[in-house]
Amino acid sequence: MEIKGTPLSEIGLYGLIKRYNIKTDNKQNSTVIGIGDDSAVLGNFDGYRLMSNLLFLEGIHFDLIYTPLKHLGYKVVVAIMSDLLAMNGKPTQIIVGLGVSNKMTLEMVDDLMDGIMWACENYKVDIVGFRPSPSLTGLSVSLSLSGVVLKSKLVTRKNGNPTDILCISGDLGSAFMGLQLLEREKRVVGTSGDVKPEFGNNDYILERQLKPKAKVEVIEFFNKKTIQPTSMINVKDGLAAALLLLCDASGTGCRIYENKIPLHQATLKACHEMNFNPLIAALNGGEDYEMLFSLPLKTFESIKAELPDNIGVIGHLTEVQKGCRMITGSDQEIEIKAQGWVV
């Protein structure tokens, strides 16, 4: 198959680095030197420096058959930002590493980097490093993100307490159902080349899968109300895994309520059309990038009337011996289990 576009060999490795050195514009005062030297140089700050790393691999984490490169670039930034936001931190600088195969053209790399730069511009994150490398196994995207948080503001997974209220931002399962829709249409088109994808009225779940949003507004709400969660976690592998990880770190159990799990109407519609259980999508789907956090009961009572629409209560923490359970709509208790969780 002939690949249309500018071969990367025409610009070369260092020409590619220079291309994005010119295109990036630093916004953070703590960025001293970004792309273009042997290492980024960051200035002094008050508090803790946060670091996170992420690796997206073609065929494992994304499929270029239905994932636009610009959306992929935007999504990987949101994915790694969500880890720092879950620490109550402020993302500041990012280093981008790409593994590019000979299937990639300069225009394709531009699309991917446009998405990365779009997200960084939107969330005021500086790109301070860019390292492309040849790849024999398809496209890979590696991001290293740095951020800051005041020592008094750091939130981890491990300080939740029994009777704390469990809250979650946004809704769950929509990104997973967006993926199911894309995979379904890929199979249909693959069996008949004359058939075009039919996505119907499913823009919401497709956007949640292809172009998610970082939950900056949740952290802004904490700052505005001068409150702080006792524990918090990024929901990226489904609600069940997030609950078990948070409770394990905090040494607690939990009780959540089935009828409190936030499900968007578009997710329910898609589940109905594809004959999929929406509760399974919420509990064991992935890539929601929502914030699950606990608040002391007294703190919650003081701000519950002012909770924004995108934050809801799903239950509370308990003593560890009570385990992690969900109360169903028929008032039964069932144990919360997650894929990949080994007791």
Side-chain angles (χ1 to χ4, degrees), residues 130-158:
F130 175 62
R131 294 291 184 269
S133 176
S135 169
L136 298 177
T137 56
L139 175 64
S140 63
V141 185
S142 173
L143 300 183
S144 294
L145 180 65
S146 173
V148 293
V149 63
L150 294 174
K151 291 183 178 181
S152 61
K153 296 292 185 181
L154 179 67
V155 177
T156 68
R157 301 174 181 179
K158 66 180 184 180

Side-chain angles (χ1 to χ4, degrees), residues 31-257:
T31 302
V32 180
I33 297 175
I35 300 175
D37 216 309
D38 290 315
S39 177
V41 178
L42 310 181
N44 293 327
F45 58 92
D46 294 324
Y48 293 119
R49 173 69 66 183
L50 303 174
M51 298 292 295
S52 187
N53 182 262
L54 169 149
L55 178 63
F56 267 45
L57 300 172
E58 183 179 352
I60 303 296
H61 302 101
F62 60 89
D63 190 330
L64 290 181
I65 290 176
Y66 52 69
T67 306
L69 284 163
K70 188 171 183 178
H71 285 72
L72 174 62
Y74 196 98
K75 178 177 180 176
V76 294
V77 174
V78 168
I80 195 169
M81 274 188 62
S82 299
D83 283 340
L84 261 67
L85 292 174
M87 310 290 288
N88 205 28
K90 176 186 177 183
T92 52
Q93 287 93 8
I94 198 166
I95 294 175
V96 180
L98 298 182
V100 291
S101 72
N102 57 11
K103 296 185 301 180
M104 300 283 289
T105 64
L106 178 60
E107 288 77 11
M108 294 169 72
V109 175
D110 276 347
D111 283 346
L112 177 64
M113 289 300 296
D114 281 349
I116 290 174
M117 291 187 293
W118 177 24
C120 289
E121 176 72 21
N122 190 28
Y123 294 114
K124 303 295 187 294
V125 173
D126 291 342
I127 302 175
V128 298
F130 175 62
R131 294 291 184 269
S133 176
S135 169
L136 298 177
T137 56
L139 175 64
S140 63
V141 185
S142 173
L143 300 183
S144 294
L145 180 65
S146 173
V148 293
V149 63
L150 294 174
K151 291 183 178 181
S152 61
K153 296 292 185 181
L154 179 67
V155 177
T156 68
R157 301 174 181 179
K158 66 180 184 180
N159 292 314
N161 301 297
T163 75
D164 281 357
I165 302 298
L166 277 171
C167 300
I168 195 159
S169 65
D171 61 88
L172 302 171
S174 49
F176 178 77
M177 293 313 299
L179 178 62
Q180 301 311 300
L181 178 60
L182 290 166
E183 287 286 347
R184 184 191 73 180
E185 295 308 305
K186 174 187 171 182
R187 290 192 296 270
V188 170
V189 173
T191 57
S192 177
D194 296 331
V195 177
K196 293 184 177 180
E198 178 54 58
F199 296 121
N201 186 23
N202 286 299
D203 291 351
Y204 180 78
I205 63 171
L206 288 173
E207 182 172 1
R208 288 276 286 174
Q209 168 58 217
L210 295 174
K211 187 178 169 288
K213 297 177 181 178
K215 301 306 178 292
V216 177
E217 70 275 7
V218 176
I219 308 305
E220 291 174 344
F221 174 73
F222 297 154
N223 292 333
K224 179 182 176 182
K225 304 309 297 181
T226 61
I227 62 172
Q228 191 164 312
T230 51
S231 63
M232 186 157 54
I233 188 171
N234 174 20
V235 183
K236 54 189 174 185
D237 297 314
L239 177 61
L243 283 165
L244 293 176
L245 287 167
L246 186 146
C247 288
D248 182 63
S250 289
T252 66
C254 71
R255 290 294 181 274
I256 64 167
Y257 297 86

Side-chain angles (χ1 to χ4, degrees), residues 258-323:
E258 180 183 2
N259 61 4
K260 296 293 185 182
I261 295 175
L263 295 163
H264 196 278
Q265 285 299 316
T267 304
L268 295 171
K269 171 181 171 292
C271 286
H272 177 73
E273 292 174 354
M274 288 185 271
N275 193 29
F276 201 94
N277 186 333
L279 188 61
I280 299 299
L283 289 173
N284 292 310
E287 300 187 303
D288 291 308
Y289 305 121
E290 299 292 351
M291 295 292 117
L292 173 69
F293 58 93
S294 59
L295 290 173
L297 181 57
K298 186 176 180 180
T299 300
F300 173 75
E301 291 291 342
S302 69
I303 54 94
K304 67 178 181 180
E306 302 170 79
L307 278 178
D309 293 339
N310 67 332
I311 294 178
V313 176
I314 61 169
H316 59 91
L317 297 179
T318 67
E319 291 79 9
V320 64
Q321 61 268 25
K322 292 185 177 180

